[in-house]
Amino acid sequence: MSDTGSSNGKLKKAQEHPSGDERYVTLDRTMKRFHNEKDALLEVLHSAQETFGYLSEELLFYISNHLHVPLSQVYGVATFYHQFTFEPQGKHNCIVCTGTACHVKGSSEIVEEMSAVLNIPVGKTTDDGLFSLSTARCLGCCGLAPVAVINGEIQGKATPETIAEKVGRILADEMVVQDQEEAG
Amino acid sequence: MITLSIDTKTIQVAPDTNVLKAALDNGIHIPHLCYHPDLSISGGCRLCLVEVEGQDQPVLSCGLTAAEGMVIQTQSEQLTELRRGVLDLFISDHPLDCVVCDKAGSCTLQEYAYEYGLKETSYEPTVSSALFQDDNPFFLRDHQYCILCGRCVRVCDEIVGVHAIDFANRGFETNIATPYDGPMIDSTCVFCGNCVQVCPTAALMPVSRLQRGREWDLDRTLSVCGYCGVGCQIEYATKDNAIIYAQAPEHGAANGTFLCTKGRYGWDFATSPERLKQPMLRRDVAHKLGLTEEPWELPETSPLDIRNPNVEQYFVPVDWDTALEFVSSRLSEITESHGPDSIMGLASARCTNEDNYLFQKFMRAVIGTNNIDHCARL
Amino acid sequence: MSREKLDQIAEKEQARQSQFDKRIHCCISTACLSAGAGHTIQTLRDSVEAAPTGDEVEVVQTGCMGLCSRGPLVRVQEKSGEEVYYADVDSECAEELVAKTVSWDQAQAKQQKLSSELQTVRARLETARRKRSLKKHILSPDMPFFTKQVKVVLRDVGYVDPEKLEDYLAHGGYEALHKVLTEMSPEQVCDEMLNSGLRGRGGAGFPTGLKWNFVRREQSDVKYVVVNGDEGDPGAYMDRTVMEDNPHQVLEGMMIAAYAVGANHGYFYIRAEYPIAIDRIRGAIRAARRHGILGKSVLGTDFSYNADVRIGAGAFVCGEETALIHSIEGKRGVPRMRPPYPSTSGLWGKPTVINNVETFASVPAIIKEGADWYAQIGTEKSKGTKVFALAGQLTNTGLIEVPMGITLKEIVYEIGGDVPGDAEFKAAQTGGPSGGCIPNTHMDTPVDYESLQELGSIMGSGGLVIIDSTTSMPEFARFFMDFCVDESCGKCVPCRVGTVQIRTLLDKIIEGRGEPEDLDKLEALCQLVRSTSLCGLGQSAPNPVLSTLRFFRHEYEALIPTNA
């Protein structure tokens, strides 16, 4: 942060955080919008995860301090809701829907196949940080079951093969990028 | 007042009283694990079910407000069956190693398992959390015994106001946790130990009592805590004249069923060899008064160093009369020679209001000075 | 803003729409989008632009048209009101559709210069004109899928552009709100609801008018209205569709409730898995605020109202009203004992109306058309219509709205078009993880609250999954039990531990390690969990097991080794 003399309030706010991380500006803005009310905890956690990708210990502590909610409660709330994650997520992600309609149309086979292809259990990220695999309880696209979402794009009427192929292509592209970086 | 009938007994209670409290206060026992009279209602243990006349399904008595003319049954075949079923589930997630458990004899779950004749679970024993945390000198947390009644969480939040622990995760994985399951010392815990006292099982246990005797081996002595003027009732559990643990007795006039960290854990002085048991006079003063024959001079280092184990090297034990006589004669001498304002009195927060009142009276009326203060002001 | 001004906007929009001879509606709801509706609508727009004529045609993005399994869906609406549906409309089909919809009459030709890109599109249209494959895409209007449905909640869904308040107004939007604010007392609104016979569409079926009356009678300076959009049943997406495709309808229903009970603030609680629904509701709130529909003086009256959105975070149990309240308050979504009910002590301890999306979405129509009109649909105890998300092994799956009392047979064989392939229809699962499986032998069961309950299932929020003969019922039951284990909040022991033990028993049976007495044990445990759990989630968690044990016990028995 070179702009220390700036009168910009937002920048100053970010500097209040010892790390000087500007993402805290976004988080502060959310908290301010809710007047730092304790009730806004869930909204603030959403905003934190959206901004930082995951909820670190430091973040929870920061939120606890600003909302005046005991840290144990912040931790308790964050761990209750499955939407929140405590580990950095992969660059790409694959979510397989395991809702009823998808289940009866064989979504568990897709999950197994993906777990084997990526060599990680559900809910984890590959060691190289490239891919995260997770499942969802119904994405509400039951008419297209089984469904998977890769990088936000819904893949309807999926099969283990189509999804593996799609993921394989993304991984192959990543390899090319890596090779180029190494060469360059 | 509201009149209702519980097990054919007619009972009068204040409005807004729940049926469980009404029953317990009138000597009718309904099994319960999550309910505690001083805490908010949870309704999670599902044991305090009763039958209400006019209602098809049994209802939880802790969440049922007593109403005029209500007719309650606390015992029936159906209720026994349901409670037995629920207890069966409880013990499927709780090691049944009562024979070696320090809590045996004061464990509520054990008491109910006995009452309902459950020797073992009829299900596949599956313990949800095996976390074992002995990260502080006062109490340990052994999660496998935890039944998630939540009394500890509520007492910490509602009574102590610290909220050091809360429920974390959910479903079968739920556990009572400090943030990130970290050590207690890193949390906001003040180590008052009220969570330990309200815990119905062996999930939270005072370290001091581990393997030092079971409930039926212990003697109990009711006392008043000496740490401050509040006058908390305190109950010492002892064995062979040694304190095993301290806790608040039920219904202490000043403290209810709670204590602070000092009263609960700060009793090791009781059997300390350094403990002062009678008045003592400094050796040189004692010699001047003719109480000892040996002359003695003050060394350069302070004799008041309380960590000095050889206190008798500097002091001579005397009886109370000698000590008080010496004090009063010195006070008189000083007042006469230097005036009353050369003396100051400092009272203690550990004394009662009455003690402190007498003390200031003594300073003003007997000594004749207003120089009086109190350590709580510092 | 006053009603007159809104009327002007509505009239202007109607006038604008009526300039077009034909309007092409393209569904852009989640299911169609993932089937490629994004490309379809782009092609439709480009083609209309590149067509020789085309000023008389408008391409409109709309919400769900129902038959999700055949998406992307497109409907061509003539000025006369005549409609033709097209299914599986890919880009190629879209071109042909436009080529055959616009006029090629030179006299009407547009005066325009085409960019090189549009020239290519024009060329493609010329070719498409001669193709003959469009007919295959036409869905017959006589299809039972369409004729068997009665649309109340969904009547504007699929017609209105969800992102345009003007379009909603043009379809008579906020007329019902204006009516209650200017012509009815709160008491009359509650009575109207009571007379309509509308029951909560979230699953339990509590009469809506009764609930509103409870809150109305409470003395409190602050009251709240909460829209429960935490549609967590796997296999159900009715509420998502209504929120995404006609958000103003839900908002209007919510505001009518607010007026009826005397609330001035409300919340939409929407699950995080529905980002589009969240955006659309937020958009609707913003638009309504801009036009004076929300705020200090609603439609120029002295009623004031504001609404906010709160986002769930992946917890099924938050669909339970007390858990939902905790969640809005920023706490763990754990239910508490009732009473007190939210109608006396809800959000922040204040009297609160909580209804689900579909319930609120039914309200404007009831106010506009009258309680009697609504009450004549359905059965004696279950009035009106119910939206179902029809899914599973059926030819036609998607979103349907049917009158209460319709038989399962009609839904499965007529609307759903039977099970595809050689497999046979085996059972219908209603109510998601809280519901049960109804076997094909009970196909004549009318779909209403009481009949489904008698069969050990529930109406639920409207998930309806069809299972064919290839599915093993014990495994299906285990699937739901997995769900319940995962979603149990952990507060009470029967649900926290009981569901785990039910699953353990199911595992044992499915893996062939079962003993003859295990089935009775399973049943007894299910009954225990049902009668001792704290909230609805726990109490209904054993339903999938109990209902399959009841109707498909032989499948369980077959898994138990005979020599055991």
Side-chain angles (χ1 to χ4, degrees):
Chain A
M1 302 288 290
S2 55
D3 197 9
T4 43
S6 163
S7 60
N8 186 327
K10 285 172 190 168
L11 267 180
K12 250 167 93 186
K13 194 84 187 162
Q15 284 156 5
E16 277 173 22
H17 192 266
S19 69
D21 189 333
E22 280 206 39
R23 288 174 298 181
Y24 282 94
V25 176
T26 317
L27 188 56
D28 285 346
R29 206 178 296 142
T30 309
M31 290 197 277
K32 206 171 164 192
R33 186 152 51 90
F34 290 102
H35 312 291
N36 282 11
E37 297 250 357
K38 290 180 169 62
D39 304 328
L41 179 57
L42 229 60
E43 299 291 316
V44 173
L45 288 173
H46 272 302
S47 161
Q49 175 152 312
E50 221 166 87
T51 318
F52 290 81
Y54 72 105
L55 300 175
S56 65
E57 203 167 335
E58 190 193 2
L59 255 180
L60 292 197
F61 188 68
Y62 187 78
I63 293 169
S64 154
N65 263 341
H66 279 71
L67 299 186
H68 302 289
V69 178
L71 184 57
S72 61
Q73 194 181 342
V74 176
Y75 179 73
V77 169
T79 52
F80 181 85
Y81 296 98
H82 285 187
Q83 195 80 21
F84 299 124
T85 153
F86 301 90
E87 285 167 24
Q89 293 299 291
K91 188 174 167 191
H92 306 280
N93 63 64
C94 174
I95 307 164
V96 183
C97 179
T98 54
T100 319
C102 292
H103 173 78
V104 297
K105 291 202 166 179
S107 66
S108 53
E109 287 159 30
I110 302 176
V111 176
E112 274 167 35
E113 172 75 12
M114 288 316 301
S115 195
V117 168
L118 295 169
N119 197 20
I120 44 169
V122 172
K124 290 286 170 194
T125 304
T126 50
D127 288 340
D128 55 10
L130 275 183
F131 238 103
S132 295
L133 175 66
S134 56
T135 57
R137 290 291 187 196
C138 197
L139 297 162
C141 309
C142 310
L144 296 169
V147 167
V149 183
I150 298 173
N151 289 342
E153 204 177 299
I154 296 175
Q155 315 286 328
K157 296 177 185 168
T159 64
E161 292 75 32
T162 58
I163 299 303
E165 197 221 306
K166 198 107 193 165
V167 170
R169 216 177 308 142
I170 291 171
L171 287 176
D173 287 349
E174 281 290 341
M175 297 279 272
V176 173
V177 173
Q178 269 177 14
D179 287 350
Q180 279 170 350
E181 274 170 8
E182 274 165 31
Chain B
M1 292 300 267
I2 283 169
T3 311
L4 73 160
S5 141
I6 305 182
D7 290 348
T8 69
K9 190 171 170 181
T10 306
I11 286 169
Q12 285 210 320
V13 292
D16 290 330
T17 309
N18 68 62
V19 171
L20 179 56
K21 185 172 167 33
L24 295 174
D25 289 352
N26 286 281
I28 299 167
H29 189 77
I30 304 171
H32 59 276
L33 285 166
C34 66
Y35 172 80
H36 189 284
D38 297 315
L39 304 175
S40 63
I41 302 287
S42 150
C45 80
R46 320 305 292 168
L47 279 177
C48 66
L49 291 163
V50 293
E51 285 169 4
V52 186
E53 201 175 84
Q55 292 194 26
D56 301 342
Q57 297 295 320
V59 268
L60 282 195
S61 55
C62 67
L64 180 67
T65 309
E68 190 61 40
M70 216 175 220
V71 179
I72 307 282
Q73 274 300 325
T74 72
Q75 302 296 334
S76 76
E77 215 169 288
Q78 181 196 14
L79 291 174
T80 305
E81 202 52 42
L82 290 175
R83 288 181 193 146
R84 208 169 180 278
V86 172
L87 283 167
D88 197 350
L89 288 172
F90 267 121
I91 60 168
S92 75
D93 182 14
H94 183 100
L96 292 182
D97 47 10
C98 306
V99 285
V100 290
C101 182
D102 283 301
K103 189 85 177 192
S106 59
C107 168
T108 322
L109 186 60
Q110 184 194 37
E111 181 191 327
Y112 293 149
Y114 173 79
E115 192 179 328
Y116 286 84
L118 283 158
K119 196 175 156 195
E120 56 187 4
T121 175
S122 54
Y123 306 111
E124 186 81 34
T126 318
V127 172
S128 55
S129 172
L131 198 59
F132 178 82
Q133 295 171 298
D134 58 345
D135 50 27
N136 69 79
F138 304 113
F139 55 86
L140 55 83
R141 296 177 282 159
D142 195 345
H143 293 255
Q144 58 177 338
Y145 297 106
C146 178
I147 53 166
L148 295 169
C149 65
R151 286 186 187 182
C152 52
V153 174
R154 278 176 284 151
V155 81
C156 194
D157 179 33
E158 297 166 14
I159 304 289
V160 190
V162 163
H163 212 129
I165 45 173
D166 204 336
F167 289 92
N169 303 307
R170 79 168 185 227
F172 199 58
E173 273 80 43
T174 308
N175 68 328
I176 307 293
T178 49
Y180 292 89
D181 283 321
M184 221 66 217
I185 192 75
D186 292 342
S187 75
T188 49
C189 178
V190 294
F191 299 98
C192 66
N194 286 310
C195 53
V196 181
Q197 176 155 354
V198 295
C199 179
T201 70
L204 292 167
M205 289 291 274
V207 169
S208 61
R209 75 167 295 179
L210 299 177
Q211 295 199 303
R212 292 194 54 198
R214 312 231 276 188
E215 218 53 33
W216 51 82
D217 300 326
L218 307 179
D219 297 320
R220 293 178 182 278
T221 309
L222 204 60
S223 183
V224 176
C225 178
Y227 272 105
C228 75
V230 171
C232 291
Q233 293 269 298
I234 196 161
E235 182 186 274
Y236 293 103
T238 58
K239 191 182 167 195
D240 304 330
N241 269 338
I243 297 175
I244 305 297
Y245 68 91
Q247 66 174 20
E250 269 180 53
H251 316 304
N255 55 316
T257 40
F258 306 107
L259 280 178
C260 77
T261 184
K262 292 182 181 175
R264 192 182 303 276
Y265 297 115
W267 39 258
D268 49 349
F269 63 84
T271 48
S272 165
E274 291 172 32
R275 184 176 170 182
L276 274 182
K277 291 172 183 159
Q278 61 193 112
M280 294 179 113
L281 262 183
R282 218 166 64 202
R283 264 180 191 277
D284 54 337
V285 181
H287 181 69
K288 270 184 211 154
L289 293 176
L291 296 171
T292 57
E293 282 164 17
E294 280 173 63
W296 188 80
E297 272 181 33
L298 268 176
E300 271 178 27
T301 50
S302 169
L304 295 172
D305 185 349
I306 55 160
R307 274 162 300 186
N308 188 336
N310 303 317
V311 73
E312 297 202 0
Q313 197 183 327
Y314 307 125
F315 292 92
V316 180
V318 293
D319 58 45
W320 277 104
D321 284 345
T322 313
L324 286 172
E325 205 160 294
F326 175 70
V327 171
S328 71
S329 68
R330 284 294 291 145
L331 284 175
S332 304
E333 277 168 40
I334 296 169
T335 319
E336 269 167 35
S337 57
H338 294 87
D341 283 340
S342 60
I343 294 177
M344 182 207 171
L346 188 67
S348 169
R350 291 179 59 169
C351 299
T352 61
N353 276 346
E354 292 81 355
D355 290 340
N356 278 323
Y357 174 78
L358 281 175
F359 185 67
Q360 65 84 28
K361 199 80 181 166
F362 169 78
M363 288 303 290
R364 290 194 169 108
V366 180
I367 306 279
T369 179
N370 287 325
N371 290 344
I372 177 147
D373 212 332
H374 188 284
C375 68
R377 228 171 64 92
L378 298 177
Chain C
M1 195 178 281
S2 67
R3 178 68 216 175
E4 289 71 40
K5 284 195 181 147
L6 288 185
D7 280 342
Q8 283 168 16
I9 297 175
E11 277 160 25
K12 203 171 145 201
E13 175 67 18
Q14 278 161 351
R16 194 193 65 77
Q17 289 182 9
S18 61
Q19 320 165 45
F20 300 102
D21 292 339
K22 288 169 181 171
R23 300 183 81 224
I24 303 177
H25 295 154
C26 179
C27 170
I28 50 149
S29 70
T30 311
C32 282
L33 266 186
S34 43
H39 294 296
T40 306
I41 193 160
Q42 196 52 48
T43 312
L44 287 171
R45 285 193 170 132
D46 290 348
S47 303
V48 167
E49 204 182 338
T53 63
D55 286 343
E56 74 284 10
V57 177
E58 189 192 21
V59 177
V60 189
Q61 56 174 39
T62 67
C64 184
M65 299 181 190
L67 194 52
C68 304
S69 55
R70 299 287 307 274
L73 290 173
V74 171
R75 171 178 49 221
V76 179
Q77 193 183 32
E78 305 274 341
K79 214 174 197 173
S80 60
E82 200 180 309
E83 295 172 348
V84 186
Y85 283 87
Y86 297 90
D88 306 312
V89 183
D90 53 12
S91 297
E92 207 175 315
C93 174
E95 279 167 0
E96 190 179 343
L97 193 146
V98 173
K100 292 189 174 155
T101 306
V102 297
S103 159
W104 289 83
D105 185 354
Q106 283 299 323
Q108 299 172 14
K110 288 188 280 196
Q111 297 298 316
Q112 63 169 352
K113 270 197 177 157
L114 292 179
S115 64
S116 59
E117 276 158 31
L118 286 181
Q119 275 170 4
T120 334
V121 180
R122 166 78 71 91
R124 293 171 65 88
L125 282 178
E126 301 271 4
T127 334
R129 221 181 136 186
R130 291 186 291 274
K131 282 188 189 161
R132 283 162 186 275
S133 51
L134 192 59
K135 267 201 176 146
K136 285 190 299 192
H137 293 271
I138 294 180
L139 294 172
S140 159
D142 302 329
M143 255 176 102
F145 185 86
F146 295 114
T147 55
K148 280 276 173 182
Q149 294 197 47
V150 173
K151 297 208 171 182
V152 175
V153 173
L154 299 180
R155 65 177 177 180
D156 292 331
V157 167
Y159 287 91
V160 188
D161 182 340
E163 289 176 336
K164 261 174 96 176
L165 173 63
E166 293 83 355
D167 206 2
Y168 183 64
L169 290 172
H171 280 82
Y174 292 110
E175 274 172 19
L177 177 65
H178 183 255
K179 184 176 167 189
V180 300
L181 291 181
T182 53
E183 296 170 25
M184 295 169 83
S185 70
E187 197 175 349
Q188 282 173 321
V189 180
C190 291
D191 285 346
E192 191 76 356
M193 283 302 127
L194 212 53
N195 294 338
S196 75
L198 176 67
R199 294 169 64 174
R201 295 292 188 245
F206 192 80
T208 306
L210 215 53
K211 193 187 262 187
W212 291 12
N213 254 330
F214 287 149
V215 180
R216 184 175 64 79
R217 291 191 190 119
E218 285 292 327
Q219 296 292 322
S220 173
D221 50 344
V222 180
K223 295 177 185 178
Y224 293 102
V225 178
V226 174
V227 177
N228 183 350
D230 191 57
E231 182 177 52
D233 284 14
Y237 58 101
M238 306 74 51
D239 293 348
R240 191 205 66 194
T241 305
V242 180
M243 285 189 287
E244 283 182 4
D245 298 345
N246 204 3
H248 285 287
Q249 188 184 348
V250 190
L251 182 58
E252 187 178 1
M254 177 202 207
M255 292 178 74
I256 292 170
Y259 172 74
V261 303
N264 299 105
H265 204 107
Y267 291 92
F268 284 87
Y269 184 84
I270 309 172
R271 65 195 291 243
E273 289 87 337
Y274 288 173
I276 301 175
I278 294 167
D279 280 354
R280 296 263 166 86
I281 292 285
R282 278 187 175 148
I285 290 175
R286 272 196 303 273
R289 253 185 220 144
R290 250 195 330 269
H291 287 83
I293 296 168
L294 274 176
K296 273 207 173 128
S297 168
V298 173
L299 299 178
T301 65
D302 52 9
F303 174 62
S304 75
Y305 190 71
N306 249 314
D308 274 315
V309 175
R310 286 287 180 275
I311 305 169
F316 176 68
V317 67
C318 288
E320 200 278 344
E321 55 185 12
T322 58
L324 187 150
I325 287 170
H326 286 151
S327 191
I328 294 184
E329 292 173 353
K331 300 177 188 149
R332 288 166 61 87
V334 172
R336 63 158 170 80
M337 278 193 289
R338 298 178 305 180
Y341 288 89
S343 51
T344 10
S345 175
L347 207 51
W348 294 294
K350 302 292 181 191
T352 304
V353 170
I354 303 183
N355 278 124
N356 94 322
V357 171
E358 193 185 331
T359 316
F360 282 122
S362 309
V363 172
I366 296 175
I367 295 291
K368 265 201 280 192
E369 314 283 341
D372 297 338
W373 164 81
Y374 190 77
Q376 61 166 14
I377 312 170
T379 67
E380 196 196 330
K381 283 187 175 167
S382 304
K383 306 282 189 203
T385 58
K386 176 80 196 86
V387 183
F388 284 103
L390 193 57
Q393 283 136 337
L394 271 185
T395 310
N396 304 326
T397 58
L399 208 65
I400 58 166
E401 183 169 3
V402 289
M404 291 277 190
I406 190 173
T407 62
L408 276 173
K409 193 191 240 164
E410 288 170 277
I411 294 181
V412 173
Y413 292 107
E414 300 186 37
I415 296 179
D418 208 350
V419 174
D422 296 334
E424 266 177 43
F425 167 58
K426 182 174 180 178
Q429 209 279 346
T430 70
S434 309
C437 291
I438 299 164
N440 56 8
T441 46
H442 285 71
M443 275 302 93
D444 292 321
T445 308
V447 173
D448 62 52
Y449 290 99
E450 281 73 22
S451 307
L452 293 180
Q453 211 158 6
E454 266 170 42
L455 289 173
S457 185
I458 59 165
M459 173 79 74
S461 58
L464 184 53
V465 181
I466 304 303
I467 307 150
D468 70 14
S469 47
T470 57
T471 306
S472 145
M473 297 316 267
E475 280 184 38
F476 194 51
R478 181 173 62 175
F479 164 77
F480 282 115
M481 208 35 74
D482 270 338
F483 181 90
C484 292
V485 168
D486 230 35
E487 297 297 339
S488 165
C489 82
K491 178 171 180 174
C492 77
V493 68
C495 176
R496 181 181 72 235
V497 183
T499 52
V500 170
Q501 290 296 348
I502 293 176
R503 189 181 57 181
T504 307
L505 275 168
L506 285 172
D507 280 343
K508 190 177 163 195
I509 293 164
I510 290 167
E511 286 161 19
R513 295 180 286 115
E515 292 158 53
E517 63 271 20
D518 279 345
L519 291 188
D520 290 338
K521 199 166 149 185
L522 182 63
E523 201 162 358
L525 177 56
C526 286
Q527 293 294 359
L528 178 76
V529 173
R530 173 190 255 188
S531 49
T532 57
S533 287
L534 190 151
C535 79
L537 170 65
Q539 286 160 12
S540 58
N543 282 352
V545 179
L546 282 171
S547 72
T548 48
L549 264 176
R550 176 170 162 192
F551 296 115
F552 302 94
R553 201 179 177 95
H554 56 276
E555 288 194 30
Y556 286 88
E557 281 164 350
L559 289 166
I560 293 181
T562 42
N563 54 357

